[in-house]
Amino acid sequence: MIIVMGIPGAGKTTVLSETLRQAKGWRAINWGDRMLELAAAKGFAKGRDEIRKLPVERQAELQAAVADSLAREEGKFVLDTHCSINTPKGYLPGLPYGVLGKLPVERFVLIEAPAESIIARRRKDATRARDAQAAEAVAEQLFVNKALVCAYAAFKGAPVAFVKNEDGKLSAAVEALRALLG
Ligand code: AMP
Ligand code: MG
């Protein structure tokens, strides 16, 4: 499995779906879909943007259940998930070591974009209840994500690569991700 991560608004789902249209033999699994399925079944949340507001212990329980379901998956897939979750109590690591220990990870990819682009994209996305954040807060989470993905890579002994998804340069990001799937 290859794990693709990025802050909300970085465009990870967009870059990933476009890349997988071109890359044969790979499928995508969206962590948020599984988390929402579990949370909805238990009556904890109705929408995907409610999950990060749940008590952190509950999010951690759901996270562990998603990890168990992913550990049972077979074949080649790209996992679309978050490096950190911006909860009201602070940044929750998306892949704590207990979770990572269950997953056979080949490599990590972090999709990045400038803070100003992230803010503008969130504002435009009417399908989601994205958090409206100041540039400093976005910059802080970008830093946290970079630090966390390096920790994940060190824990697994797997490489980490950074893909820039700048405005108007989606095809360059897709090309870069495609080269990493190899
Ligand atoms: P997404 O549609 O990718 O934004 O995912 C929806 C929601 O799922 C996110 O806002 C998080 O609350 C949750 N989520 C996704 N990945 C993880 C993860 N690795 N750990 C905990 N929560 C996650
Ligand atoms: Mg997404």
Side-chain angles (χ1 to χ4, degrees):
M1 124 180 24
I2 293 183
I3 304 191
V4 173
M5 287 167 283
I7 195 170
K12 97 193 124 75
T13 307
T14 309
V15 173
L16 187 55
S17 62
E18 191 54 35
T19 304
L20 293 192
R21 281 199 320 126
Q22 303 175 16
K24 291 211 168 60
W26 289 94
R27 66 198 165 97
I29 296 183
N30 185 296
W31 181 301
D33 289 348
R34 297 215 173 175
M35 195 117 167
L36 179 59
E37 243 170 63
L38 290 170
K42 295 188 170 166
F44 298 153
K46 291 194 197 77
R48 56 181 64 229
D49 290 307
E50 290 175 22
I51 304 170
R52 65 179 174 273
K53 320 271 184 199
L54 292 172
V56 169
E57 305 71 39
R58 186 128 282 168
Q59 294 183 58
E61 269 167 41
L62 292 166
Q63 220 177 22
V66 172
D68 289 334
S69 88
L70 290 170
R72 293 191 292 271
E73 290 289 339
E74 296 189 358
K76 291 203 309 188
F77 63 90
V78 182
L79 179 64
D80 172 344
T81 190
H82 292 251
C83 226
S84 66
I85 294 87
N86 197 4
T87 81
K89 296 285 192 288
Y91 299 110
L92 177 71
L95 301 172
Y97 291 171
V99 163
L100 271 180
K102 295 177 184 168
L103 305 177
V105 185
E106 271 178 72
R107 44 194 175 268
F108 298 91
V109 180
L110 184 62
I111 312 265
E112 299 181 301
E116 312 76 61
S117 307
I118 286 163
I119 290 167
R121 291 173 195 171
R122 286 182 186 173
R123 229 182 262 126
K124 271 194 250 156
D125 185 356
T127 68
R128 299 289 301 258
R130 305 281 202 200
D131 289 327
Q133 283 181 307
E136 299 77 49
V138 172
E140 182 179 87
Q141 196 176 4
L142 288 171
F143 172 79
V144 167
N145 283 357
K146 208 149 192 163
L148 279 173
V149 77
C150 291
Y152 301 157
F155 178 72
K156 293 302 280 187
V160 53
F162 301 95
V163 167
K164 298 245 174 329
N165 181 31
E166 286 164 26
D167 291 336
K169 295 188 184 163
L170 177 64
S171 52
V174 167
E175 201 39 58
L177 182 58
R178 207 156 71 111
L180 287 167
L181 295 189

